Amino acid sequence: MREKIDALTKNLALTIVGKAEAIRLVLVALLGGGHALLEDVPGVGKTLLAKSLARSLDGKFQRLQCTPDLLPTDITGTNIWNPKSGEFTYLTGPIFTNILLADEINRATPRTQSALLEVMEEHQVTVDGVSRAVPQPFFVIATQNPIEYQGTFPLPEAQMDRFMLSLSLGYPSEAEELLMLQNLQNGVKVADLQPCITLAEVEELRYLCSQVKVAPSLQQYILELVRVTRQDEEIALGVSPRGTLALQRATQALAFLSGRDYAIPDDVKFLVPHVLCHRLIPRGGRNARTVVERLLRSVSIP
């Protein structure tokens, strides 16, 4: 399994230049059984990272280019009348896949965004009163531009809470951007990537991550970090219990990726900004990351 993880990481690094931390975080979300939200300005590689991951897994990949005219049935599928059989036939939507890329998710209307609520949490789709399970493993990578607000619909808190973690790629360094130019002609393209891990191996890795030991003192540390967000005067909406569970699962996945069968406080400290920031609402237009980093310093480390 360690060899599989190393091969997957190297495969992603072939197309994603200098973003080792972002790759690690996406793998944490994948192996932790959650979903990832990529928030950044256009052109920094959000879609490239999602497509590279999909190509590296030996599974089915679907992409949704979210626009204001996208309907919920365009995602979930719908029942179509079949005149030959004289009955309705269910036509599956792109949600029935292993890796779903929801590109620019905040350009879809709230009604369409809500089509993802059930499937992201319960891994099933209900249409006309009939529930259908999606293939496993099921992983959603959504991207959004946090700067441009014209023609966008901010994700509601319930939708944001479905993502295990959020991350930002940021601009590359000068050396990394020069390497991108050099790779433009001779570098590996996404279409050239070969699958290096099967779906069954992903499921096995998820199980192994869930077996990573989290000491009671570390669980108490996680709990205190979450509960302090509900009591702080600078926060209007604190982190939900779903966030508490997500932080522990992400911590287990990060520990496993680090080659350990036990979690340590540094795992939690590294993940807290990525797991908690998008789940809370600060007061007075304050920056969520700044508030979370202050709270992180205020809680004693076990």
Side-chain angles (χ1 to χ4, degrees):
M1 288 295 103
R2 292 299 314 170
E3 294 176 356
K4 291 293 182 181
I5 291 177
D6 292 340
L8 180 57
T9 303
K10 291 177 181 177
N11 219 36
L12 294 175
L14 292 175
T15 57
I16 309 298
V17 177
K19 299 299 179 185
E21 182 177 304
I23 291 174
R24 194 172 186 82
L25 286 168
V26 169
L27 293 182
V28 164
L30 173 66
L31 301 183
H35 309 286
L37 176 64
L38 278 60
E39 299 183 275
D40 220 322
V41 295
V44 295
K46 302 186 299 295
T47 303
L48 180 63
L49 175 57
K51 291 175 68 176
S52 298
L53 176 63
R55 291 284 300 182
S56 300
L57 301 182
D58 189 18
K60 188 177 179 182
F61 169 68
Q62 294 281 6
R63 174 178 177 174
L64 280 173
Q65 187 63 51
C66 296
T67 55
D69 60 349
L70 190 72
L71 298 175
T73 53
D74 294 331
I75 298 176
T76 62
T78 187
N79 286 307
I80 303 295
W81 177 256
N82 189 336
K84 291 184 178 180
S85 61
E87 58 185 17
F88 284 97
T89 302
Y90 182 68
L91 183 64
T92 59
I95 201 71
F96 288 87
T97 185
N98 298 115
I99 307 292
L100 178 70
L101 169 60
D103 216 357
E104 294 188 288
I105 190 173
N106 56 334
R107 291 199 177 278
T109 62
R111 181 185 176 195
T112 301
Q113 291 172 7
S114 67
L116 292 169
L117 284 174
E118 179 186 14
V119 69
M120 288 177 67
E121 185 69 20
E122 302 174 32
H123 295 179
Q124 68 175 23
V125 176
T126 302
V127 177
D128 293 340
V130 179
S131 298
R132 297 175 175 86
V134 296
Q136 295 298 319
F138 177 69
F139 183 56
V140 175
I141 305 180
T143 71
Q144 70 170 350
N145 178 2
I147 304 299
E148 184 181 358
Y149 291 105
Q150 185 175 2
T152 63
F153 303 87
L155 293 177
E157 289 70 36
Q159 185 79 53
M160 295 290 279
D161 207 22
R162 278 356 188 236
F163 291 100
M164 172 175 279
L165 51 79
S166 66
L167 63 142
S168 173
L169 298 181
Y171 287 113
S173 65
E174 183 178 350
E176 292 167 353
E177 202 159 3
L178 177 60
L179 183 58
M180 290 168 57
L181 291 174
Q182 294 170 348
N183 289 346
L184 186 61
Q185 293 178 322
N186 303 318
V188 177
K189 298 179 176 59
V190 176
D192 299 329
L193 293 180
Q194 298 298 318
C196 59
I197 186 169
T198 66
L199 299 180
E201 288 168 339
V202 172
E203 289 285 81
E204 184 177 356
L205 286 170
R206 284 183 168 184
Y207 172 76
L208 292 174
C209 287
S210 68
Q211 301 304 302
V212 171
K213 299 180 182 66
V214 183
S217 59
L218 193 57
Q219 290 180 324
Q220 186 64 37
Y221 179 54
I222 291 173
L223 186 61
E224 290 177 6
L225 285 170
V226 171
R227 293 188 67 83
V228 76
T229 66
R230 305 169 190 167
Q231 303 162 359
D232 193 86
E233 295 180 352
E234 294 185 356
I235 299 176
L237 178 67
V239 177
S240 69
R242 184 187 285 118
T244 311
L245 299 175
L247 183 55
Q248 174 164 303
R249 293 203 311 269
T251 299
Q252 290 175 302
L254 181 60
F256 185 82
L257 287 172
S258 303
R260 289 180 272 105
D261 63 352
Y262 58 91
I264 59 176
D266 283 344
D267 296 330
V268 179
K269 290 175 62 179
F270 173 74
L271 288 167
V272 159
H274 301 288
V275 178
L276 301 189
C277 282
H278 66 284
R279 300 176 187 273
L280 54 83
I281 300 178
R283 297 182 189 274
R286 292 179 173 84
N287 183 272
R289 190 178 184 94
T290 302
V291 174
V292 167
E293 288 175 351
R294 175 179 60 80
L295 297 178
L296 189 57
R297 293 190 297 269
S298 69
V299 178
S300 59
I301 302 172

